[in-house]
Amino acid sequence: MDRARPFPSRRRMLKGAALAAVPYALLPDPPADALPPPVDHPSAEWVAASTANHTPADRPTTHPIDFVVIHVTQTSYRTALSVFQNPKKKVSAHYLVRSVNGNIAQCVRERDIAWHAGNWDYNTRSVGIEHEGWVDQPGYFTDALYMASARLTSAICARYDIPKDRAHIIGHYEVPESDHTDPGLHWDWTRYMRLVNSVRHEGASPRPPA
C-alpha cells in the first residue's frame, strides 16, 4: 500500500497554474548548445557519433582536407551507427550512406577529425564516407547508394577544392598502412567516378559561428 501523499501547498498550486497559463510561445527557447549542429550536406540527417570517437578541430584551417576516403561497413546501417555512438569502439566516419534508399547520416562534422582511415595523417586530411554493405555482396551497392554517395563526394570536393580524380577519391585499401580491403572488388569505380564528375551536387549549409 502506498503511503498517503501530502496535499501540495496553495502557493505551489498557484505557481503551477500560473506557469500552465503562460503561452508556449513566450517561454524561453532551449539553449543553442542543446540543439544538434546543422549538417554540412543539406540532405543528410544528423546522427552524432560519440565525442569519444573523433577529434575536435577547425578544418580546413587547422588541417587541409585533401581526400575523400570510400569505405564499406561490413555490417548493417543501424549497427554501424550504434558502433559510432559507442565510446568504447574508438571509430567513426563523417558520413554513412544507406543501401536501400541512399539515405545519408552525418555522424561527425567535416571540420572535425573522424577516426576512419587507420592512419592519423590521412584522418586529419580526409572526409570518410561509409557505405552500408559487405564487400562480397554487390547487391548492397544499389543505384540509390551510388547516386547519393556521388552527390555527397562531389559536394565535398567542391567545398574544399579537391580534384575529382582517383588520386584524391580513394578506397580504404589505398590508405598507407591500411590492412582493409574495402570497398572491395565489386565497387564500380568507373561508374562512381563518372557520377561524381557529372552529378549536380548540393551546396554546403552555412557554417555556424565558432
Side-chain angles (χ1 to χ4, degrees):
M1 181 179 293
D2 293 335
R3 292 184 180 179
R5 296 180 181 177
F7 289 104
S9 69
R10 180 177 178 81
R11 183 178 179 182
R12 284 171 57 195
M13 291 176 66
L14 290 174
K15 181 179 179 182
L19 182 59
V22 176
Y24 285 110
L26 299 181
L27 294 176
D29 292 329
D33 59 4
L35 300 174
V39 293
D40 296 297
H41 190 66
S43 63
E45 62 173 331
W46 178 248
V47 187
S50 168
T51 56
N53 292 342
H54 61 88
T55 301
D58 189 23
R59 304 188 309 166
T61 301
T62 55
H63 306 81
I65 299 179
D66 302 321
F67 301 98
V68 176
V69 181
I70 303 299
H71 302 262
V72 170
T73 60
Q74 293 296 102
T75 191
S76 71
Y77 180 86
R78 291 185 180 277
T79 300
L81 288 177
S82 69
V83 168
F84 295 163
Q85 293 171 333
N86 184 339
K88 296 180 180 180
K89 295 297 185 180
K90 306 303 179 187
V91 66
S92 63
H94 293 94
Y95 295 98
L96 172 62
V97 185
R98 194 170 196 171
S99 171
V100 67
N101 57 8
N103 183 73
I104 298 173
Q106 181 167 4
C107 305
V108 177
R109 291 301 304 271
E110 290 176 8
R111 67 188 180 197
D112 295 329
I113 301 168
W115 300 348
H116 64 97
N119 177 310
W120 177 247
D121 179 52
Y122 273 71
N123 278 343
T124 66
R125 297 193 291 133
S126 65
V127 173
I129 305 176
E130 286 278 2
H131 299 80
E132 180 186 22
W134 284 260
V135 296
D136 59 349
Q137 298 184 41
Y140 277 91
F141 304 152
T142 62
D143 292 344
L145 178 142
Y146 272 121
M147 184 60 72
S149 178
R151 286 199 178 104
L152 172 59
T153 293
S154 180
I156 293 167
C157 290
R159 277 196 281 280
Y160 304 107
D161 198 25
I162 302 171
K164 297 178 184 179
D165 59 33
R166 284 285 284 115
H168 297 85
I169 302 169
I170 63 175
H172 193 181
Y173 73 96
E174 294 173 293
V175 174
E177 303 171 11
S178 172
D179 60 356
H180 288 249
T181 63
D182 56 312
L185 296 176
H186 296 293
W187 182 263
D188 191 339
W189 280 109
T190 300
R191 176 187 183 187
Y192 188 68
M193 295 306 299
R194 184 173 65 247
L195 286 171
V196 168
N197 281 279
S198 63
V199 296
R200 185 175 179 181
H201 66 74
E202 299 171 86
S205 58
R207 190 171 178 177

